[in-house]
Amino acid sequence: MEGVDGYDAAIVFVGDNVINDCETESFDRNNIHFTNFIDAVINSTCAKFENTIVVIQSGSAMIPFRWKKKAKAIIQMW
């Protein structure tokens, strides 16, 4: 099945450290949830592409609870 503009899939690369230049292990954030902005970008992409792959670059675990069932694959990069 083709998605928007004839593409078969979309790959979204995200990180959740919009304040600092690098990811760390927990001291730069209060929780392990994505920001509303990141969730909105991923939800929007999943709505347009049935085959959405999300690649997460983070220094700690993140919880993709708002879109985890919509993405076809979730890949964690450390």
Side-chain angles (χ1 to χ4, degrees):
M1 169 183 245
E2 288 187 357
V4 176
D5 296 326
Y7 294 101
D8 294 330
I11 303 173
V12 181
F13 291 85
V14 297
D16 195 40
N17 192 337
V18 295
I19 297 171
N20 297 318
D21 291 333
C22 64
E23 290 282 340
T24 60
E25 293 184 11
S26 78
F27 70 82
D28 58 341
R29 65 181 58 141
N30 296 326
N31 59 55
I32 57 175
H33 301 285
F34 285 96
T35 62
N36 289 334
F37 172 76
I38 299 282
D39 282 334
V41 168
I42 296 169
N43 274 320
S44 174
T45 305
C46 287
K48 293 177 183 170
F49 293 92
E50 180 181 347
N51 297 318
T52 297
I53 301 162
V54 180
V55 181
I56 304 167
Q57 170 63 48
S58 64
S60 64
M62 301 299 296
I63 299 177
F65 71 95
R66 294 181 184 158
W67 46 264
K68 69 180 179 181
K69 292 185 178 180
K70 297 175 186 175
K72 286 290 184 179
I74 301 171
I75 300 168
Q76 174 67 53
M77 294 174 46
W78 295 106

